[in-house]
Amino acid sequence: MSTIRTGKNAIGFIFLTLLIDVIGIAIIIPVVPKLIEELTHEGIDRASVYGGWLIFAYAVMQFLFSPILGGLSDRFGRRPILLFSLVGMAIDYLFQAYAPTLAWLFVGRALAGIAGASFTTASAYIADVSAPEKRAQNFGLIGVAFGLGFVIGPVIGGYFAKFGARVPFKIAAILAFVNFVYGYFVLPESLPASNRRKFEWKRANPIGSLLQLKKYPVIAGLITTLTLLYLGSHAVQSTWTYYTMFKFQWTEQRVGLSLGLIGVLVMFVQGFLIRKTIPLLGEAKSIIYGLILYIMGMVLFGFASHSWMMYCIIPLYCLGGIAGPALQSVISSQVAPEQQGELQGGLTSLMSLTSILGPLIMNNLFAYFSKATAPFSFPGMPYLVGGVLFVCGLLLALPTLRGNSFEK
């Protein structure tokens, strides 16, 4: 299969691959709490704690293996690593679909963490085939895939949940396998042999991979902001289902619809809006304004007292999505083509490190401030903490963003 370096075809291939992958992930979100309750026979507050540990298991394995897979993609190309990831996800969903105990769920999540290179490799793939002036827009397509996947996936998952909490997992497994078949026959390689590098174990461990990020001044300047952004985002990512079910008594179907709305807005922001805002504002201001919108949305989520308020706040929060693609563009622009896999592996290790801590912090905050014995009842505490982390990230980013040539 011939290598494709530029053009819309390559981006289209990777977008569809990501889209099918995200649909599979999003299908299971509305039913995870019920499956945990079914296996443990405990309430939603305790289920959120187990849910946090499940994300922890995934994140630990991804933290350990992402730099290895990123390095392997620099050596052997993006395509084989991406296909390996898709097979791993299919196996993970089957483990969860037939899990007789909670321990089986943990095994499945660990396997998924090992194979969870699809977004790392996809980011390197996009960097491979993107012209510098199109890089931010093309990175925005990752957000579009997430958005559209979260429109389709949760709605499907919420609908099929009425047939049992395990049915959406089986559908997700089928989608992952279909994605593998699609990738095997259609997805082209993006990294020419001339741009590949030797695989080195000293650069393919999580600590070494994170240390490699120090080589790039702009990345070093923004690394703390990126870390706090990842960490704070787990207020939404890890507790949304539990928070809305507990505080507003939402059903799986309503959770699915709310995630679908988020998906539509993310798709609009990162698929269309950033094509206007980044040329108009520049990458630095897009990051700053995006973080401000994220802060406002997070705090309002935490204090919302009625369901309708959540729907009103969602658009404000999603507009913060102009920050992500701009930040990825700034980071990737500092790195040579043969090092994109290493870079994305390092960033995924960083994301995984925050995913180890984030769910434990946020889910336990939710569980603690939701139980009857809490000093005061405030189930929105994770969102308030997330907002504070975003404020810190913004304050730390300002000197770097104002002191570099990419400011507009």
Side-chain angles (χ1 to χ4, degrees):
M1 186 173 291
S2 61
T3 299
I4 294 180
R5 291 287 297 147
T6 59
K8 294 182 179 179
N9 287 341
I11 298 296
F13 287 137
I14 202 68
F15 172 77
L16 188 55
T17 299
L18 278 174
L19 174 61
I20 299 173
D21 206 13
V22 174
I23 290 172
I25 294 171
I27 278 176
I28 69 173
I29 292 175
V31 297
V32 169
K34 294 299 182 184
L35 180 57
I36 294 174
E37 285 184 294
E38 177 184 309
L39 292 173
T40 63
H41 308 291
E42 298 188 53
I44 193 73
D45 55 336
R46 287 297 301 165
S48 72
V49 175
Y50 291 123
W53 282 107
L54 282 170
I55 301 173
F56 173 86
Y58 177 92
V60 167
M61 302 309 290
Q62 191 177 62
F63 174 69
L64 295 174
F65 283 87
S66 284
I68 296 175
L69 295 175
L72 289 173
S73 79
D74 281 343
R75 172 65 182 87
F76 298 106
R78 316 302 184 201
R79 184 173 179 271
I81 306 304
L82 190 57
L83 294 177
F84 169 79
S85 171
L86 295 174
V87 170
M89 293 303 295
I91 294 172
D92 162 53
Y93 293 135
L94 288 175
F95 260 90
Q96 293 180 90
Y98 294 99
T101 65
L102 191 62
W104 276 62
L105 289 183
F106 279 96
V107 172
R109 295 317 293 156
L111 288 173
I114 293 172
S118 58
F119 298 109
T120 301
T121 312
S123 297
Y125 193 112
I126 289 172
D128 290 340
V129 301
S130 298
E133 67 274 11
K134 294 290 186 181
R135 188 170 282 136
Q137 294 181 18
N138 289 340
F139 273 123
L141 289 176
I142 297 178
V144 176
F146 267 94
L148 186 55
F150 272 88
V151 172
I152 301 170
V155 174
I156 295 174
Y159 174 79
F160 282 100
K162 63 185 179 182
F163 301 108
R166 298 171 188 269
V167 173
F169 290 92
K170 297 175 184 178
I171 297 173
I174 293 171
L175 281 175
F177 180 73
V178 168
N179 205 2
F180 166 78
V181 173
Y182 165 80
Y184 183 83
F185 287 105
V186 179
L187 189 69
E189 179 55 64
S190 66
L191 186 67
S194 59
N195 281 349
R196 299 181 187 182
R197 66 173 178 87
K198 289 177 58 179
F199 178 82
E200 301 177 64
W201 281 106
K202 66 180 180 180
R203 298 169 67 176
N205 65 82
I207 303 302
S209 184
L210 290 174
L211 291 176
Q212 290 296 318
L213 299 177
K214 290 185 176 181
K215 296 190 300 185
Y216 314 108
V218 174
I219 294 174
L222 297 175
I223 200 71
T224 305
T225 296
L226 189 63
T227 302
L228 294 173
L229 181 61
Y230 284 151
L231 189 63
S233 295
H234 277 281
V236 175
Q237 295 173 15
S238 299
T239 71
W240 181 269
T241 304
Y242 305 99
Y243 177 59
T244 54
M245 284 182 170
F246 177 85
K247 189 170 184 178
F248 306 113
Q249 291 76 53
W250 284 8
T251 63
E252 295 95 328
Q253 289 75 27
R254 195 161 186 184
V255 170
L257 290 173
S258 70
L259 292 173
L261 173 61
I262 291 173
V264 169
L265 293 171
V266 169
M267 184 171 56
F268 168 75
V269 170
Q270 299 202 10
F272 172 76
L273 190 61
I274 63 167
R275 297 176 184 271
K276 308 295 183 181
T277 57
I278 290 179
L280 179 66
L281 301 173
E283 292 173 335
K285 288 182 180 177
S286 294
I287 293 169
I288 293 169
Y289 295 158
L291 285 171
I292 291 172
L293 290 167
Y294 272 147
I295 292 165
M296 294 170 63
M298 195 73 81
V299 173
L300 291 172
F301 278 143
F303 285 100
S305 56
H306 296 87
S307 289
W308 64 266
M309 294 181 179
M310 298 294 284
Y311 289 108
C312 292
I313 300 164
I314 285 172
L316 180 69
Y317 179 79
C318 290
L319 284 172
I322 64 174
L327 186 56
Q328 283 184 289
S329 179
V330 169
I331 291 172
S332 66
S333 68
Q334 307 302 306
V335 179
E338 68 273 11
Q339 296 177 325
Q340 288 292 338
E342 178 183 62
L343 167 67
Q344 300 301 334
L347 293 178
T348 302
S349 289
L350 175 67
M351 182 174 63
S352 299
L353 185 61
T354 61
S355 295
I356 292 170
L357 300 174
L360 296 181
I361 294 170
M362 301 304 180
N363 287 51
N364 278 284
L365 280 172
F366 167 76
Y368 180 78
F369 285 98
S370 300
K371 63 184 181 181
T373 57
F376 60 92
S377 178
F378 187 50
M381 182 62 76
Y383 297 88
L384 185 59
V385 171
V388 170
L389 291 173
F390 287 172
V391 169
C392 294
L394 175 61
L395 294 175
L396 290 168
L398 287 174
T400 301
L401 293 173
R402 288 173 174 169
N404 286 275
S405 60
F406 51 80
E407 172 72 321
K408 183 174 180 177

